Amino acid sequence: MDRVVEAASYLVHTRNRKDIHFALLGDGSDLELVSERIKAFKLESFFSLRGWVGDQELLSYLSTADVCLAPDPPVQFNQSSTFIKIMEYMSCGKVTVCFDLLESRRTAGDTAIFVGKDDTAKFAEAIEQILDEGRRRCEMGNAARERSLSLHWGISEETLIGTYEKLFSAKST
């Protein structure tokens, strides 16, 4: 989440954006550190830290969001991780700004804005760009919703079961 705080700082203090607000949902061990960073960057009025929220509140936030963020850095582990939040964003018809991770690209396809390097300023600029392009944001959001309908357990099930079968048969030999 430190990347979101740094991107917000860039947008507010460098780009002079005062028309943005970030809602951070979920809890975790870094929540207190994130809160301290928000204060250090003097961004308190631009953030809501909601902690863990239930499904209904999550849907309420997602339905009002202009853009959703997946700030997971481009490290090896994340390259092979599929983030459920991206599917949640897509199913609500939202554009995701994220780093260019293999599994994020496989999931979102051309319905997300991908930032090539672990560069907070580039991440912020991608957020700003899609915020300022309402028509494109709407088109990409609609495409994300449609794409989410084509990605479901039935498609992944065969691959996953096949992989487990190979692993177990290799282990027993």
Side-chain angles (χ1 to χ4, degrees):
M1 287 285 121
D2 56 334
R3 286 164 180 77
V4 174
V5 177
E6 291 172 16
S9 179
Y10 179 86
L11 290 169
V12 170
H13 300 305
T14 303
R15 302 289 296 160
N16 203 31
R17 294 294 294 245
K18 306 299 184 207
D19 61 342
I20 57 174
H21 191 84
F22 296 84
L24 300 183
L25 310 178
D27 57 6
S29 58
D30 291 341
L31 194 57
E32 189 173 321
L33 292 172
V34 170
S35 179
E36 290 171 10
R37 286 186 67 104
I38 290 168
K39 289 176 187 166
F41 282 110
K42 301 186 182 332
L43 295 168
E44 298 96 310
S45 64
F46 297 95
F47 275 89
S48 297
L49 277 75
R50 298 293 303 144
W52 182 258
V53 298
D55 291 343
Q56 290 303 317
E57 193 172 355
L58 172 64
L59 287 174
S60 177
Y61 272 98
L62 291 180
S63 69
T64 61
D66 290 316
V67 63
C68 294
L69 308 178
D72 308 279
V75 297
Q76 186 58 41
F77 177 78
N78 289 344
Q79 288 291 351
S80 57
S81 300
T82 302
F83 299 107
I84 188 68
K85 63 186 160 201
I86 293 177
M87 282 297 296
E88 291 171 336
Y89 302 160
M90 291 170 61
S91 70
C92 290
K94 302 301 175 180
V95 175
T96 302
V97 173
C98 56
F99 290 104
D100 195 2
L101 302 172
L102 178 63
E103 286 300 316
S104 297
R105 188 170 283 281
R106 285 181 178 162
T107 302
D110 60 359
T111 70
I113 306 294
F114 295 99
V115 178
K117 297 188 318 186
D118 190 358
D119 183 328
T120 304
K122 297 279 186 214
F123 196 80
E125 289 165 1
I127 295 168
E128 183 173 43
Q129 176 186 22
I130 199 64
L131 283 174
D132 290 343
E133 296 179 13
R135 175 179 271 187
R136 179 175 175 226
R137 189 175 66 244
C138 183
E139 290 170 356
M140 288 179 72
N142 290 336
R145 172 79 172 117
E146 288 300 314
R147 183 173 173 84
S148 76
L149 296 173
S150 71
L151 301 172
H152 54 81
W153 171 245
I155 294 169
S156 300
E157 180 181 21
E158 289 179 34
T159 303
L160 186 58
I161 290 173
T163 301
Y164 283 136
E165 287 172 348
K166 286 178 188 174
L167 287 172
F168 288 126
S169 66
K171 194 173 188 178
S172 64
T173 55

